[in-house]
Amino acid sequence: MTEDIDRREFLKLTGGSVGVGLGVVYLSGLFEPAGARSIWGLKNNDFHFVQLSDSHWGFEGPKVNPDALGTLPRAVKEVNSLKQNPDFIVFTGDLIQTTDDTNVRRKRMKEFKQIVSELEAKIYFMPGEHDASLDNGETYREFFGETHYTFDHKGTHFIVLDNVSDPGGIIGEGQLEWLKNDLNKIKKDQPIVVLTHRPLFPLYPQWDWTTRDGGKALDLLMPFANVAVFYGHIHQEHHHQTGHIAHHSARSLMLPLPVAGSVPERKPILWSASEPYKGLGFRDIFSHRKGDYALTEFPIKEDAKV
Amino acid sequence: MRPMKLMNDMSGMKNFLPGILSLIMALAVYQASPAQGSDLVKTVENQARIIKIAAKRYEYTPREIVIKKGQPVVLQLTTEDRSHGFNIPALNLRADIKRDQVTELKFTPQTTGDLNFYCDIFCGTGHDDMAGKFKVVE
């Protein structure tokens, strides 16, 4: 199918549990890559991108993930097996597991970079607190470049915000000023996608699921009609609206975390032998028409050989 | 001042004796409570309670503290290694804890129950576990 489809037809085709937000279609059903691709036609400025997040390369904990060395490579294989190649890939932070040893940090970043170099699309990286908070992003920049920047793709303006290089989990006045200046150049109706690690809204501050000055960034974004935020950090799918701004968190590629406040302590969910890789995965984001997004969640599959 | 009057008018001693005994018993209870850290917690009745909390990777000492509803609290926060944060989300109250400084935070709990606090400055591998709670009682 090569022609575009309207939302009603899209929903009818997809079936399953589908929610419609402001300018966003959420698919929480799990499609096989081929199935997901077959219903989407690309037209004009339509495009796909894949969000990977929280791979925590270097994490060790057999009860949480006995395949700690294999999960990221499996994800790489799966992304490469998508029949519709993504235009690009974003990696929303916590690439590696934190360490106090700078040499170990470098080693993990080098290994991580080698693994994801197998991905067959351009990757836009950003740091999580595990990558950047202990040295204000110094080692991260050696391997992956700047921690905040912008790029444009088919009429959509992408803004990568760094809310982790400051260990206090803030964006900071300097970067907020940079954001303000960047937004001054953007038309109010141009689609904007913000990519960041922590939630910009206070999702659950008790577990540090917030950005202390995230509200200031959202205030700057509010005048723009079409804004979506994709982030990581909380290791699970979550969808939220602040006004007309949509926020979507991604699953982890190492360990799932419980729903906010569902348990007394924020401890990883233990591995299930009967359901291996449960809660882990990545997402495809299909931008069809400017600013409408269809999200498809992909689990890590046991048979993705590495 | 009442204590001075007490010293100079021993005939009124019996009027103050119950109060003095209550104060001594209250202090004894605090001294005897290991969970509150006998040398870390000092209380003067009807005044703000001063609570000293020491932070280090990746814990607070003490990490669980019983406080009374309605009684003002002054936290005196210090760190033994690097900068840490101290955040009580339910009260929208936070501070940086820096080396060689005593950071004070003041609040008065208005409801009973748990008041969780955590470190909101990423400090290393065990950062996610660096947390504690106040148990607010009547």
Side-chain angles (χ1 to χ4, degrees):
Chain A
M1 181 180 278
T2 56
E3 64 180 306
D4 200 0
I5 51 177
D6 69 24
R7 176 177 291 169
R8 186 172 300 171
E9 184 64 13
F10 178 70
L11 296 178
K12 194 168 70 179
L13 282 168
T14 56
S17 57
V18 178
V20 181
L22 288 173
V24 181
V25 181
Y26 312 142
L27 276 78
S28 39
L30 302 176
F31 288 88
E32 292 300 308
R37 298 296 134 194
S38 64
I39 60 169
W40 290 338
L42 294 179
K43 185 180 176 183
N44 299 328
N45 285 330
D46 294 352
F47 64 92
H48 286 268
F49 66 101
V50 163
Q51 182 185 11
L52 303 173
S53 201
D54 295 271
S55 51
H56 288 264
W57 183 255
F59 171 85
E60 292 179 3
K63 290 182 178 177
V64 174
N65 188 340
D67 188 31
L69 295 174
T71 306
L72 178 61
R74 282 177 197 279
V76 169
K77 296 281 184 191
E78 283 193 55
V79 172
N80 286 342
S81 76
L82 295 172
K83 286 198 174 175
Q84 175 71 56
N85 286 336
D87 288 38
F88 57 89
I89 294 163
V90 299
F91 217 119
T92 47
D94 280 357
L95 318 177
I96 65 158
Q97 180 74 5
T98 193
T99 167
D100 296 331
D101 187 326
T102 305
N103 290 330
V104 175
R105 187 177 305 134
R106 284 202 173 89
K107 179 174 178 286
R108 289 179 181 173
M109 286 187 177
K110 186 178 177 184
E111 291 171 351
F112 169 87
K113 199 169 180 180
Q114 176 62 40
I115 293 166
V116 300
S117 70
E118 301 289 322
L119 286 162
E120 295 164 355
K122 179 175 175 56
I123 312 172
Y124 293 96
F125 294 103
M126 64 216 70
E129 75 277 9
H130 281 250
D131 310 308
S133 287
L134 290 184
D135 65 358
N136 303 108
E138 187 179 333
T139 311
Y140 173 91
R141 283 192 294 274
E142 285 177 25
F143 284 84
F144 304 103
E146 283 307 311
T147 60
H148 65 278
Y149 53 93
T150 66
F151 63 95
D152 292 275
H153 188 75
K154 292 189 173 180
T156 297
H157 188 58
F158 288 80
I159 302 171
V160 174
L161 280 184
D162 172 6
N163 51 11
V164 295
S165 288
D166 184 310
I170 63 170
I171 300 166
E173 289 302 320
Q175 194 182 174
L176 286 167
E177 188 64 25
W178 167 85
L179 174 64
K180 183 180 174 184
N181 291 334
D182 179 68
L183 291 173
N184 281 339
K185 305 169 199 164
I186 307 299
K187 289 181 181 174
K188 292 292 187 286
D189 62 348
Q190 183 172 355
I192 295 173
V193 170
V194 176
L195 303 168
T196 192
H197 182 66
R198 292 167 166 271
L200 292 178
F201 65 96
L203 195 163
Y204 199 66
Q206 293 91 326
W207 287 359
D208 206 18
W209 289 0
T210 188
T211 301
R212 247 192 275 158
D213 56 357
K216 292 181 179 178
L218 295 177
D219 286 346
L220 293 172
L221 291 160
M222 279 303 282
F224 295 85
N226 196 317
V227 181
V229 182
F230 293 91
Y231 66 101
H233 192 56
I234 71 165
H235 295 211
Q236 62 197 281
E237 191 187 349
H238 187 273
H239 308 284
H240 182 76
Q241 296 278 149
T242 54
H244 63 279
I245 299 176
H247 304 257
H248 310 283
S249 65
R251 297 179 191 184
S252 165
L253 292 171
M254 182 58 81
L255 56 100
L257 288 172
V259 171
S262 61
V263 290
E265 292 187 345
R266 176 193 43 187
K267 298 287 186 189
I269 296 171
L270 298 182
W271 181 268
S272 167
S274 61
E275 297 176 281
Y277 308 101
K278 185 181 181 184
L280 306 180
F282 62 93
R283 106 170 3 131
D284 179 283
I285 297 138
F286 173 38
S287 173
H288 64 110
R289 296 193 205 87
K290 278 188 176 179
D292 276 0
Y293 305 102
L295 278 53
T296 306
E297 307 295 333
F298 291 98
I300 298 300
K301 295 196 298 187
E302 199 172 5
D303 59 357
K305 301 296 181 190
V306 295
Chain B
M1 291 173 65
R2 186 169 281 184
M4 289 303 291
K5 184 180 178 185
L6 182 66
M7 293 295 289
N8 295 330
D9 183 4
M10 295 304 288
S11 64
M13 183 73 174
K14 62 183 179 183
N15 296 328
F16 298 101
L17 204 53
I20 293 169
L21 287 173
S22 297
L23 182 58
I24 291 170
M25 287 176 68
L27 288 171
V29 167
Y30 281 111
Q31 291 286 329
S33 172
Q36 294 163 350
S38 58
D39 56 351
L40 295 172
V41 181
K42 295 178 180 175
T43 300
V44 179
E45 220 169 36
N46 297 326
Q47 291 184 4
R49 179 178 168 193
I50 297 170
I51 301 174
K52 295 183 178 182
I53 298 178
K56 67 176 180 183
R57 296 185 182 94
Y58 300 100
E59 61 185 13
Y60 296 104
T61 305
R63 71 188 304 267
E64 191 166 314
I65 303 150
V66 179
I67 57 177
K68 284 184 180 177
K69 175 185 165 186
Q71 182 179 33
V73 168
V74 178
L75 304 179
Q76 292 185 342
L77 309 168
T78 55
T79 174
E80 298 174 14
D81 43 33
R82 49 154 293 151
S83 291
H84 293 282
F86 190 91
N87 193 318
I88 311 174
L91 301 181
N92 196 26
L93 194 66
R94 75 159 307 280
D96 292 340
I97 313 174
K98 296 179 179 174
R99 289 191 66 172
D100 304 320
Q101 289 183 20
V102 178
T103 301
E104 285 201 347
L105 274 180
K106 300 174 184 176
F107 67 95
T108 304
Q110 301 296 342
T111 56
T112 58
D114 288 351
L115 275 178
N116 296 311
F117 57 85
Y118 71 99
C119 176
D120 64 2
I121 293 181
F122 191 83
C123 54
T125 52
H127 166 75
D128 287 351
D129 298 324
M130 191 164 171
K133 72 169 72 168
F134 296 100
K135 295 184 84 69
V136 186
V137 299
E138 287 288 354

